[in-house]
Amino acid sequence: MPTTSETITNFFQKRIANPLMRRNPFQTLLETTGRKSGEPRRTPLGGKLVGNQFWFVSEFGERSQYVRNINADPHVRVRLRGKWHAGTAHLVPDDDAQARLRELPQFNSVGVRTFGTNLLTVRVDLDGAS
């Protein structure tokens, strides 16, 4: 069951922040396939490209809708600097998510650290531009 903090954060992200951020052509986006609808679902997030891998931390872990979508279908796309890249997402529960956040861009990490209740590292192995 979601905490009050999760409920408030989810409402803010879904209704206010995410619709605005999706309009920014250079905002990093994660595109998953909706596990029920089969439709593309785009989530603004922050992370870091390391070689051919994109790393980020989910603030609500297994309860995040995009993590549930990844569990159903790990084939995703990530928009980095305005260019889409296909890839395969992997949940990395054994990774130290707090340490990982220290390696990621601080702007996003502050929000994840502040509101996150169940941190989970995610790695996307990128195939290339699509």
Side-chain angles (χ1 to χ4, degrees):
M1 181 157 196
T3 66
T4 302
S5 173
E6 283 180 271
T7 301
I8 292 168
T9 303
N10 285 335
F11 176 83
F12 176 77
Q13 288 175 337
K14 187 174 182 178
R15 303 288 184 212
I16 299 167
N18 289 357
L20 291 173
M21 293 169 70
R22 279 190 208 103
R23 292 185 178 142
N24 177 349
F26 293 100
Q27 169 66 48
T28 300
L29 295 177
L30 173 70
E31 183 181 83
T32 60
T33 301
R35 64 192 177 284
K36 295 178 184 176
S37 69
E39 297 293 320
R41 300 293 181 214
R42 292 181 176 172
T43 304
L45 48 77
K48 185 176 181 182
L49 184 63
V50 179
N52 218 24
Q53 298 175 328
F54 180 73
W55 291 83
F56 66 96
V57 175
S58 168
E59 61 196 332
F60 301 128
E62 297 276 345
R63 291 195 300 263
S64 293
Q65 296 301 314
Y66 62 82
V67 170
R68 291 177 180 185
N69 291 342
I70 288 168
N71 276 327
D73 181 358
H75 298 95
V76 301
R77 292 193 318 154
V78 179
R79 186 176 76 181
L80 300 167
R81 295 184 221 63
K83 184 182 260 187
W84 285 102
H85 302 268
T88 305
H90 304 274
L91 306 181
V92 192
D94 293 335
D95 190 63
D96 181 344
Q98 291 287 348
R100 180 71 56 189
L101 279 175
R102 288 190 289 277
E103 298 174 6
L104 300 179
Q106 290 303 303
F107 179 73
N108 179 70
S109 297
V110 168
V112 173
R113 215 180 271 115
T114 302
F115 301 109
T117 57
N118 189 24
L119 302 179
L120 175 65
T121 301
V122 181
R123 182 189 81 236
V124 179
D125 297 333
L126 301 174
D127 302 331
S130 61

